[in-house]
Amino acid sequence: MNFKNFREYLAWLYYQYLLITGIYVLEPWEKSIFNSILFSVIGMVVYTSYVFVPIHLRLALEFFSGLFGGQPESAMALMS
């Protein structure tokens, strides 16, 4: 894929983004505000997922392993 085709593909993706979100009818200053809010929200969701999802997965794993007959950690320490 050469650079011209890649650039045209990115322009097509941007055009699709404008059409799907409906911001092609907005003025430039409204587009910038909309995009700023959208990317801020996406950034916060990604950050929150990165920070909190592993913690909740670990806690859920501990909870369900205890429900389904998993060994408690203190018993594991006694065995080793």
Side-chain angles (χ1 to χ4, degrees):
M1 177 184 270
N2 60 18
F3 184 71
K4 184 179 179 190
N5 288 340
F6 183 68
R7 202 169 80 191
E8 289 175 357
Y9 179 68
L10 287 179
W12 179 78
L13 284 177
Y14 180 68
Y15 182 67
Q16 291 297 314
Y17 163 72
L18 291 177
L19 289 176
I20 291 171
T21 57
I23 62 174
Y24 64 94
V25 297
L26 300 177
E27 293 182 14
W29 67 273
E30 293 171 327
K31 285 182 187 180
S32 64
I33 290 174
F34 178 83
N35 288 331
S36 299
I37 292 171
L38 179 68
F39 292 129
S40 296
V41 168
I42 290 172
M44 287 187 280
V45 166
V46 168
Y47 174 75
T48 303
S49 298
Y50 176 75
V51 171
F52 293 110
V53 168
I55 295 168
H56 286 90
L57 287 176
R58 183 183 55 81
L59 290 174
L61 182 64
E62 288 177 8
F63 175 75
F64 286 116
S65 68
L67 279 180
F68 297 119
Q71 297 275 336
E73 288 185 25
S74 59
M76 294 290 275
L78 293 174
M79 293 173 60
S80 53

